[in-house]
């Protein structure tokens, strides 16, 4: 969603937030991306992180990385 806001508004704050969300700038303050494995947890729930790791989560992370690098 943040990456789409960046594309629509050209606001670099939203571009950065797209990637930062995965690194812990979210409502729980928990990283979704696992630096050790390169995996990405599926979601945040009311109780914390959903520990499943699916391909769609990794692809979402990679899209955020790509959007960030394209704006540099």
């Amino acid at each position: 969603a943040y990456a789409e806001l960046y594309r629509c508004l050209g606001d670099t704050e939203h571009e950065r937030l797209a990637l930062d969300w995965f690194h812990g700038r979210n409502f729980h303050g928990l990283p979704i991306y696992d630096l050790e494995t390169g995996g990405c947890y599926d979601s945040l729930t009311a109780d914390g992180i959903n520990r499943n790791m699916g391909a769609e989560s990794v692809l979402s992370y990679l899209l955020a990385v790509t959007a960030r690098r394209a704006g540099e």
Side-chain angles (χ1 to χ4, degrees):
Y2 286 127
E4 186 62 24
L5 279 171
Y6 167 70
R7 280 191 287 279
C8 291
L9 303 175
D11 180 356
T12 57
E13 174 71 7
H14 290 101
E15 176 192 39
R16 187 178 51 75
L17 288 173
L19 187 56
D20 288 353
W21 184 88
F22 288 95
H23 292 278
R25 193 171 179 186
N26 52 55
F27 63 88
H28 279 306
L30 298 170
I32 302 301
Y33 178 72
D34 185 336
L35 293 169
E36 290 183 25
T37 67
C40 192
Y41 297 111
D42 278 355
S43 64
L44 290 173
T45 67
D47 298 322
I49 294 175
N50 174 337
R51 296 280 176 186
N52 293 324
M53 288 185 169
E56 67 279 3
S57 301
V58 174
L59 291 173
S60 294
Y61 176 76
L62 292 174
L63 286 171
V65 169
T66 302
R68 178 70 178 131
R69 288 190 178 157
E72 290 179 350

